[in-house]
Amino acid sequence: VAEVVVAWNHCSYVARQLIRVAALMERCSHDAAAPIETSTTASLSFESTSVCSASAANTSAAEAMIRLGAIVKRTKAARTPGKQGLALIVGPLADRSTSDDRQRYVGGVVCEAMESEFEFEVRRDHTELALQYATKAIELHKIEHSQSLSSGEEPGSKEGKRSLARLHYLNGSILSALGRFTEAAEHFGNAASFAAGWPGLEAQILRARGKCLDRIKEASASHGDVCAADVKLLAILNANVASLLTSKEIEEAAAEAFSADPSLAVGAKSISWPVNDNASAPLEFVVTFPGLTHATSGDIVPAVVAVKSRLCFSAVIASGKLHTTVGEIPLLLPEPVLVEPNSVHLWKASVPLPFEMEQYQQQKAGGRSAEKKLRPKTSGMTRAAGACYTNKANASAIAGDDEKGGKAYLGGTPVKCLNLEVELRSADGTSNAGRRSVFLTITDRVRSSSNQVSSSKKKTPVEEENYVMSTWERPTFHPLSFGPRCIRVHGPVPDIVITDVTSAHTRRKVLEGTVNRILLKVQAGERETCHDLKFSVTCSNSMSYTEDGPNGPEPKAPIDKAEPIPAPKRVPMLVEQDASMTSHVITDEGYSLPAEWKPLGGESGQGSENVVSPITSKLESGKTAYFSFDVFRPMPLLPKVAAASDDVSCWTHYNVKLSYKQGRPARRADTAGEAGDGDPITCEMDGSVMWCSPLSARFIVVDDGAQKAYPSGSRHPSNIVPDDQNNTNNAGAYNSFSNDVGNNSGEAVAVDGEQIKVRCSLQADEAKDGLAVEVQKVSFETPGKDKNQDRKYKLSLVSTEGATDGTLYSKRTGDASQVLQQGSRLGVTYNVLASLSSPDLANSKRSDECDHVRTSLGVVTAEWAPIKLPSIDYNVHGPLPLLNPSKIKFLGPSCYIERAPFEAKLMSFPDSPKVAVPFEVKYSIKNQTLYDQKLSLLMSEARPGDNVDASDTVLVSGFVCGEVQLAPLESRVLCYSALAMRSGKTPMPALSVSSLRYKSWVINDGQDKPHHFYVLP
């Protein structure tokens, strides 16, 4: 028996079964308290689980009902007038033209009932029934989708959109079949919104929607906000959908989209392309900034706009504008541009940057906690090359006085293009009068480093502009040479350069006792013009250790921080000249400022930011100007110790604050009047100078030959007799105190009434660094008096020229020795008579007391003036000559003066004896004490180390060895006869006389201090 199945009966059976399944699925979903989740179902997505859901069952029922209605209609139309049997069959014998055979369905009806069942299906409205099930499917889908969101499904997933697109498309098709085109158009619109990303489905939906809107247009002149032309426009603008359309469909849609039909002239059409659907955008564009990675607020920066057409038809771009993070920028097109499919176009644009960038800063996720953890990043080219890292000194130029607000400016504010808006017109060559324009807005595509972070998370989001990949990413049609896709914009930054030209000549050194002018040079940057240039200066002082640096001495931190270095005395200060002053200014420390000079910025002389001095009204780019300020440190009132070296030096640290208005070639001119000649800029410079003494002195006490008196029994440690008096090799061993007192290792020794010869050498140590001085006068003064000085001693200058004012040297016209340059010295020699007051023997408790005094041999005062440094562009700098010469005082060498117990002197000594002619040498020794004194005497004809026989030099006769007794106040003359044995310079035989009471030398002609005479032939 042939097995055949009637098609309409088969579809009716399937539809009934699917309706029952839908009812059961819906009942189960309502009755279940909670879904049973297993390890298998938990891993399934919403799309997978929705296949066995109530909404899916209702969808299948609606589709089956539509299929049943279509087959019933076909069956009814295919029946012959004389036959009531089956017309359509399915199965292996479906190709047979006529057959009355059939196989029953299990549970089916008998053959006689088939006709009545068919008539029942003919009378039913299957389309209306399908609409009911399809509508219920959408409602159930929404309920199921909301339940999936509560279980962790991500909102807006692709699976959910795909299902909704199919359901709305099904509803739209059913409604369109029922003639309800307005409702159908709405469902088609919803389906199109959910079908983005599926070009095939989207093309079918847009086609159906367009036909539906055409039917609405035929039925009524009013079409609302959406018309068929708009739907077709969306279809041909979508690059993926348009690729599936035929050329004829594209041509007809383009003609209708830009049609001048009054019914479509509802105003210009505006379309914003979805941000997440850039792949189907009709235009691909990129905006870059050539030759820039950073810019200054208020400037006009160039930009390049590249647009590639992905349209399948020709169009005209009549106008356009860029939407950037700093506002809208119009595209200045000289004329409408014809855009062909796959064509690329480049346009130039100028982006005017705002003067204030605060409102354009990116909002950070995480609130204040994230802002505190914000760190500068240097991964990207724009951050690394365009970052504006600044210290506190320049914080006001970037972010004002708010230091916390300055974090937002760290690296600058990124500026980029957000989207492109163009006006599209028809390219059919007809007049554009009355034709509709389409304003298309396309968002810049998301770059590859995009990492969006939810605002609820306390984490700073990744900035795309901070990475090279995203900043320099571009389409293949745009060259890399056109720059990055974003720039960093910071506030106006000073481009001016400040240079200390004086320190380059003096190695950061200044002289005490005179006014020093620090000359600074400012040079405007190549891309700025400086207006109303002013400056202020402040200073501070400290004592610090010093180390050598490449540009001169530099302050060094102390090694032991537990012992702080005290503040400097004779505080340096900033000064300014005032010719109207009639008296000297006295500081708080009691020092006097030079005539016609006063402190700057108050009595302390530390300057003030409120005291502003002008430099120039305008400084062109690349040009230079000079300005200066003056510093002064007084000389000490007390004399300085000669050749003393200090471990610490006095430093003055100055801060120069420069303010001006910055004009730039790229600065905006449209609002320049509001900011005057430019943006206010503040620039600072810090520097340091070390204070140095203008002169140093070195003293030497002359004690050689006959000019030096005998020690006369002085009890100074240097005159003590060694234990072994016969050891002549050690006769001078205890004369260990050097009379060169410049190194503070000892002191000079003199007896009462002795004339002390002193040599003083003045030198300008800093002349090697350009700080030369001119010595105008050198004079001698006695040390300051105390209450016991007149009773103890008296120092007086021994002058052979009758000078009574103590002048040792005075400036002479044309004398070059007064100028102390590098390596030169000025030497003066003078004699000082040291006298002790007469002893009062009657009131003296012990007449053998050591009556002595320690003092300096007077004070040497040098009057000097600095030598000017070479001027720089007619600007004087360095140490300045004052109206009156400066003075510096040095203490003379330290001296031990004693009233010796003896008075020893050489009474007679021949100037030039002859060979073999006898001559006499006489010594006088007087006991000035009230005690009997015993002296030890020894004379040696040969000196140790001479290697000469005594008979070959001088023969001496007289008392050459023994002891001498002296009564109180007794004098004795020692007379010797001598005979020279050869001519030439010959030393006198050494006479050594020592006191046995005081263990000291009275006469000591040792080999270190011999007396010589010249023997004639």
Side-chain angles (χ1 to χ4, degrees):
V1 178
E3 297 181 0
V4 294
V5 179
V6 182
W8 69 265
N9 187 260
H10 172 76
C11 291
S12 176
Y13 178 82
V14 172
R16 288 195 302 270
Q17 296 301 320
L18 290 176
I19 291 173
R20 292 188 182 98
V21 171
L24 289 173
M25 293 292 292
E26 186 176 356
R27 183 183 302 174
C28 292
S29 61
H30 290 168
D31 295 341
I36 301 176
E37 182 176 337
T38 63
S39 59
T40 304
T41 60
S43 61
L44 297 178
S45 63
F46 171 73
E47 178 68 14
S48 301
T49 56
S50 63
V51 174
C52 299
S53 63
S55 61
N58 278 273
T59 302
S60 300
E63 292 175 347
M65 195 61 67
I66 293 174
R67 190 180 305 110
L68 174 60
I71 293 179
V72 167
K73 288 181 181 180
R74 288 166 54 192
T75 302
K76 182 180 179 182
R79 278 191 174 193
T80 60
K83 188 173 180 63
Q84 299 297 325
L86 213 58
L88 294 177
I89 60 175
V90 295
L93 302 178
D95 57 341
R96 296 174 56 181
S97 59
T98 60
S99 177
D100 293 334
D101 297 334
R102 70 175 180 89
Q103 181 183 5
R104 282 190 176 192
Y105 275 104
V106 177
V109 296
V110 296
C111 184
E112 292 76 10
M114 290 290 294
E115 187 66 26
S116 61
E117 183 181 353
F118 179 74
E119 292 296 333
F120 173 76
E121 294 293 344
V122 170
R123 290 193 300 270
R124 286 208 303 176
D125 190 350
H126 298 88
T127 306
E128 191 69 36
L129 294 173
L131 179 61
Q132 295 177 8
Y133 293 115
T135 304
K136 184 182 290 187
I138 293 178
E139 297 175 356
L140 292 174
H141 186 280
K142 293 180 179 178
I143 297 174
E144 294 166 358
H145 188 59
S146 62
Q147 292 176 354
S148 67
L149 293 179
S150 62
S151 62
E153 182 80 16
E154 186 177 352
S157 61
K158 293 183 178 180
E159 293 79 1
K161 289 183 178 181
R162 184 183 292 113
S163 299
L164 283 174
R166 289 198 300 264
L167 288 175
H168 281 287
Y169 181 52
L170 177 61
N171 274 265
S173 300
I174 297 173
L175 289 170
S176 179
L178 294 174
R180 298 159 61 178
F181 298 109
T182 303
E183 299 177 53
E186 182 179 355
H187 279 280
F188 283 137
N190 294 334
S193 63
F194 292 123
W198 295 278
L201 179 60
E202 190 174 5
Q204 295 297 330
I205 294 174
L206 292 178
R207 282 196 186 100
R209 190 185 184 196
K211 293 179 181 179
C212 187
L213 292 174
D214 285 339
R215 300 294 296 273
I216 296 175
K217 177 181 176 183
E218 295 173 357
S220 175
S222 176
H223 51 76
D225 295 334
V226 181
C227 61
D230 295 340
V231 176
K232 295 177 181 180
L233 177 63
L234 291 177
I236 61 176
L237 289 181
N238 192 311
N240 296 332
V241 173
S243 63
L244 301 176
L245 302 179
T246 64
S247 301
K248 184 178 180 180
E249 287 178 325
I250 295 175
E251 183 179 353
E252 292 176 354
E256 186 175 353
F258 298 97
S259 174
D261 188 345
S263 63
L264 298 180
V266 292
K269 179 64 177 178
S270 297
I271 299 176
S272 295
W273 207 258
V275 178
N276 56 354
D277 196 17
N278 280 341
S280 64
L283 299 175
E284 185 178 7
F285 82 99
V286 63
V287 178
T288 58
F289 302 89
L292 293 176
T293 55
H294 65 286
T296 304
S297 59
D299 287 357
I300 299 178
V301 297
V304 174
V305 183
V307 176
K308 181 180 181 180
S309 173
R310 301 174 66 185
L311 297 170
C312 295
F313 61 95
S314 299
V316 172
I317 297 181
S319 64
K321 56 184 176 182
L322 300 174
H323 295 268
T324 67
T325 54
V326 293
E328 295 182 357
I329 311 299
L331 286 179
L332 302 179
L333 303 178
E335 58 183 9
V337 180
L338 178 62
V339 178
E340 298 287 350
N342 296 321
S343 61
V344 178
H345 303 270
L346 294 177
W347 301 304
K348 294 182 180 180
S350 297
V351 180
L353 300 176
F355 289 97
E356 301 293 336
M357 295 295 298
E358 289 85 352
Q359 57 180 329
Y360 303 103
Q361 297 173 15
Q362 292 183 344
Q363 184 67 27
K364 308 298 180 184
R368 294 183 179 179
S369 60
E371 195 70 26
K372 292 180 180 179
K373 299 179 181 180
L374 193 61
R375 298 180 180 178
K377 308 177 182 67
T378 56
S379 302
M381 184 66 71
T382 54
R383 176 78 73 168
C388 182
Y389 298 108
T390 175
N391 53 21
K392 295 182 180 179
N394 291 334
S396 59
I398 306 302
D401 298 330
D402 187 6
E403 185 175 349
K404 182 181 294 185
K407 293 182 179 180
Y409 275 93
L410 196 61
T413 303
V415 172
K416 59 182 178 180
C417 180
L418 299 177
N419 49 61
L420 170 67
E421 180 180 347
V422 294
E423 179 186 359
L424 292 179
R425 293 179 181 175
S426 175
D428 57 2
T430 60
S431 175
N432 290 322
R435 302 201 59 129
R436 188 170 71 155
S437 297
V438 177
F439 289 91
L440 177 63
T441 302
I442 303 176
T443 305
D444 192 10
R445 62 176 179 174
V446 179
R447 282 162 272 181
S448 57
S449 64
S450 176
N451 185 13
Q452 302 298 330
V453 180
S454 175
S455 59
S456 61
K457 298 180 180 180
K458 294 183 178 181
K459 181 179 179 181
T460 302
V462 176
E463 297 182 12
E464 293 184 3
E465 297 78 14
N466 190 50
Y467 295 92
V468 175
M469 178 188 296
S470 58
T471 301
W472 291 85
E473 183 185 9
R474 67 209 48 239
T476 56
F477 60 83
H478 195 64
L480 190 66
S481 59
F482 284 162
R485 298 176 61 174
C486 73
I487 57 175
R488 294 273 173 177
V489 179
H490 50 70
V493 177
D495 197 19
I496 200 168
V497 179
I498 309 176
T499 307
D500 186 350
V501 296
T502 301
S503 295
H505 288 75
T506 63
R507 289 176 56 84
R508 306 171 64 185
K509 296 180 180 180
V510 288
L511 293 181
E512 299 176 345
T514 188
V515 176
N516 296 265
R517 177 159 296 172
I518 308 299
L519 184 64
L520 303 178
K521 180 180 72 172
V522 292
Q523 183 175 10
E526 295 297 332
R527 301 179 61 183
E528 70 173 353
T529 302
C530 306
H531 301 271
D532 195 16
L533 200 60
K534 301 177 182 179
F535 82 98
S536 63
V537 60
T538 57
C539 75
S540 61
N541 306 287
S542 65
M543 300 296 292
S544 176
Y545 293 97
T546 303
E547 61 181 357
D548 292 332
N551 298 322
E554 296 178 354
K556 181 178 66 174
I559 300 177
D560 187 5
K561 297 183 179 180
E563 298 182 2
I565 302 177
K569 300 179 180 178
R570 299 181 288 118
V571 178
M573 61 182 63
L574 298 168
V575 294
E576 59 179 341
Q577 193 170 15
D578 187 357
S580 62
M581 296 182 61
T582 57
S583 60
H584 293 267
V585 177
I586 306 300
T587 65
D588 296 339
E589 296 176 309
Y591 295 98
S592 175
L593 296 186
E596 300 183 355
W597 291 88
K598 65 179 181 180
L600 176 66
E603 296 180 358
S604 62
Q606 304 306 300
S608 173
E609 294 183 357
N610 299 325
V611 180
V612 181
S613 302
I615 300 176
T616 181
S617 59
K618 184 177 181 180
L619 187 63
E620 297 290 346
S621 60
K623 301 298 181 180
T624 59
Y626 294 89
F627 68 98
S628 61
F629 61 92
D630 303 316
V631 291
F632 174 77
R633 188 190 189 197
M635 296 296 300
L637 297 177
L638 298 177
K640 300 182 64 175
V641 178
S645 60
D646 297 329
D647 294 334
V648 294
S649 301
C650 179
W651 286 83
T652 293
H653 314 280
Y654 60 86
N655 173 265
V656 177
K657 180 173 290 186
L658 207 65
S659 61
Y660 63 97
K661 295 180 179 179
Q662 185 185 67
R664 300 178 298 276
R667 191 172 182 270
R668 294 171 56 180
D670 51 351
T671 57
E674 299 178 2
D677 295 324
D679 300 310
I681 295 292
T682 301
C683 179
E684 296 188 14
M685 173 195 175
D686 296 321
S688 301
V689 291
M690 185 182 73
W691 292 96
C692 304
S693 177
L695 292 171
S696 63
R698 186 178 183 86
F699 291 93
I700 297 178
V701 177
V702 180
D703 59 353
D704 53 341
Q707 299 178 355
K708 174 63 179 174
Y710 290 119
S712 302
S714 172
R715 282 152 285 188
H716 190 268
S718 63
N719 195 47
I720 299 300
V721 177
D723 294 336
D724 187 5
Q725 295 187 20
N726 296 326
N727 188 358
T728 58
N729 289 331
N730 296 330
Y734 283 84
N735 191 10
S736 59
F737 278 30
S738 172
N739 289 334
D740 181 5
V741 296
N743 56 9
N744 287 335
S745 61
E747 57 187 350
V749 180
V751 297
D752 180 24
E754 180 182 351
Q755 291 188 14
I756 307 171
K757 186 177 182 179
V758 182
R759 293 175 181 171
C760 175
S761 175
L762 298 177
Q763 181 178 356
D765 295 332
E766 311 306 330
K768 63 181 181 298
D769 295 322
L771 301 178
V773 299
E774 177 188 49
V775 179
Q776 299 183 354
K777 184 179 179 180
V778 181
S779 58
F780 173 83
E781 300 176 4
T782 58
K785 296 181 179 180
D786 56 32
K787 61 182 180 180
N788 297 322
Q789 178 182 349
D790 292 338
R791 185 176 63 87
K792 287 185 177 181
Y793 71 97
K794 178 181 180 181
L795 296 177
S796 59
L797 178 67
V798 179
S799 176
T800 59
E801 299 179 358
T804 58
D805 59 352
T807 300
L808 302 178
Y809 169 81
S810 60
K811 175 182 176 181
R812 298 181 180 88
T813 304
D815 187 1
S817 62
Q818 62 196 15
V819 178
L820 297 183
Q821 298 286 355
Q822 180 179 1
S824 61
R825 297 182 181 181
L826 177 64
V828 293
T829 304
Y830 59 95
N831 292 340
V832 178
L833 177 62
S835 302
L836 298 177
S837 58
S838 301
D840 187 359
L841 299 180
N843 298 327
S844 176
K845 296 180 181 180
R846 289 176 57 94
S847 60
D848 62 344
E849 284 185 351
C850 181
D851 191 4
H852 70 280
V853 66
R854 280 185 168 89
T855 184
S856 62
L857 294 178
V859 175
V860 173
T861 302
E863 298 182 6
W864 61 277
I867 302 298
K868 294 182 180 180
L869 294 177
S871 61
I872 299 177
D873 292 343
Y874 305 102
N875 292 281
V876 178
H877 67 117
L880 303 180
L882 304 177
L883 296 178
N884 301 316
S886 302
K887 293 182 179 181
I888 183 172
K889 296 181 179 182
F890 298 99
L891 281 175
S894 178
C895 185
Y896 172 89
I897 305 173
E898 180 185 350
R899 181 176 287 106
F902 303 95
E903 179 184 5
K905 56 184 178 180
L906 182 62
M907 295 182 60
S908 64
F909 190 81
D911 295 333
S912 54
K914 293 184 178 181
V915 176
V917 177
F919 60 91
E920 289 186 350
V921 178
K922 295 181 180 180
Y923 298 89
S924 173
I925 300 176
K926 180 182 178 181
N927 180 10
Q928 300 187 111
T929 66
L930 301 179
Y931 289 90
D932 293 332
Q933 300 286 351
K934 180 183 292 186
L935 305 178
S936 175
L937 184 148
L938 176 65
M939 175 172 283
S940 174
E941 296 179 353
R943 299 178 179 277
D946 286 349
N947 296 325
V948 179
D949 193 337
S951 60
D952 294 337
T953 55
V954 178
L955 298 178
V956 180
S957 64
F959 186 58
V960 296
C961 183
E963 295 181 351
V964 179
Q965 295 285 344
L966 291 178
L969 304 178
E970 178 185 1
S971 297
R972 177 169 298 187
V973 176
L974 300 177
C975 183
Y976 295 92
S977 295
L979 183 66
M981 302 299 295
R982 63 179 183 180
S983 60
K985 182 179 180 180
T986 304
M988 180 67 185
L991 176 63
S992 299
V993 179
S994 60
S995 171
L996 298 181
R997 174 185 291 274
Y998 302 116
K999 305 296 183 181
S1000 60
W1001 296 107
V1002 179
I1003 298 176
N1004 185 15
D1005 285 342
Q1007 64 177 354
D1008 295 334
K1009 304 174 183 178
H1011 284 74
H1012 290 83
F1013 51 84
Y1014 291 86
V1015 179
L1016 299 178

